[in-house]
Amino acid sequence: MAAKPVAKRLVVLVSGSGTNLQALLDAIETTGAEAYGAEIVAVGADRAGIEGLARAERAGLPTFVCRVKDHGSREEWDRALAEAVAAYEPDLVVSAGFMKIVGKEFLARFGGRFVNTHPALLPSFPGAHGVRDALAYGARVTGCTVHFVDDGVDTGPIIAQGVVEIRDEDDESALHERIKEVERRLLVDVVGRLARNGYRIEGRKVVIQ
Ligand code: GRF
């Protein structure tokens, strides 16, 4: 008899509007956690009062806020964040627009199972302004990258990418909105496949089984 599928536990981290979080919530709601392969067990943020947290609350999920300014140092914040996440015993942690670089302690606990989505085609345009930088550079295509987080800035092994054409009339906000449409679908697809199939990381290559 085939084993009953088990939903993997996800903690999602957000800093803003949370539309990527919403896409995950909607996919899990529509597909069912077991068929999708994962359920969200908590949503964390580095700031209060954001729509991302409101979305989680509306979905009835536990939330937590871990702010840098409430801690004596960046290292203490990193440890507190790692502990807050660990309390929910996640299989995977997803940074869905979480605008903080995590530190050593967090990576020691969640390295290899911490997924980030970035609004550019890495390794081009890493950092906090990936959309603006691609536009300013004059690139004709950009997109989004879902990758594992390592100790660099947007440098970890790439899992999947989506391409978006840059139009002559684009400004940062119009381009970002079109990227986010692709990004939400990509994130939902990737997280589901990682959760359902399992994966291994071989150097810079991610192999989903
Ligand atoms: C995404 O484009 C993500 O890649 C970037 O910030 C955006 C977050 O959007 N870092 P949302 O909060 O999921 O709507």
Side-chain angles (χ1 to χ4, degrees):
M1 207 173 81
K4 194 167 177 284
V6 178
K8 295 280 169 20
R9 297 171 63 83
L10 306 180
V11 169
V12 180
L13 301 178
V14 295
S15 296
S17 63
T19 64
N20 281 283
L21 164 67
Q22 190 67 53
L24 288 166
L25 288 168
D26 292 347
I28 292 165
E29 166 92 21
T30 310
T31 319
E34 282 168 8
Y36 178 68
E39 62 178 329
I40 299 175
V41 294
V43 173
D46 62 331
R47 61 200 76 185
I50 55 172
E51 182 58 18
L53 287 174
R55 289 176 194 275
E57 280 155 18
R58 287 198 293 272
L61 290 171
T63 62
F64 59 89
V65 175
C66 189
R67 301 188 302 182
V68 173
K69 66 180 177 191
D70 294 335
H71 297 86
S73 68
R74 191 79 188 196
E75 289 70 28
E76 282 174 30
W77 168 78
D78 184 57
R79 195 171 312 123
L81 180 70
E83 269 160 27
V85 170
Y88 293 97
E89 302 182 344
D91 298 298
L92 285 173
V93 184
V94 180
S95 157
F98 185 62
M99 300 303 283
K100 285 281 182 302
I101 306 289
V102 299
K104 279 200 176 70
E105 179 79 27
F106 194 94
L107 286 175
R109 292 211 199 177
F110 300 109
R113 53 197 179 109
F114 183 30
V115 174
N116 180 47
T117 174
H118 178 75
L121 292 174
L122 295 171
S124 293
F125 312 118
H129 304 293
V131 180
R132 187 187 306 171
D133 294 346
L135 204 52
Y137 195 85
R140 300 313 315 189
V141 293
T142 185
C144 49
T145 303
V146 179
H147 65 99
F148 284 108
V149 178
D150 68 5
D151 60 1
V153 177
D154 301 321
T155 52
I158 290 171
I159 310 168
Q161 295 183 297
V163 177
V164 174
E165 272 189 41
I166 297 181
R167 299 175 184 160
D168 290 339
E169 66 274 19
D170 267 336
D171 60 12
E172 185 179 351
S173 129
L175 178 58
H176 200 173
E177 277 313 308
R178 287 209 316 290
I179 291 172
K180 282 172 67 168
E181 283 171 26
V182 175
E183 191 177 22
R184 290 190 281 263
R185 287 196 296 271
L186 190 72
L187 185 66
V188 165
D189 175 65
V190 165
V191 169
R193 286 194 293 126
L194 292 172
R196 286 189 302 275
N197 301 357
Y199 61 90
R200 52 184 202 277
I201 304 173
E202 295 172 349
R204 289 214 51 87
K205 287 223 172 117
V206 178
V207 182
I208 300 182
Q209 279 130 17

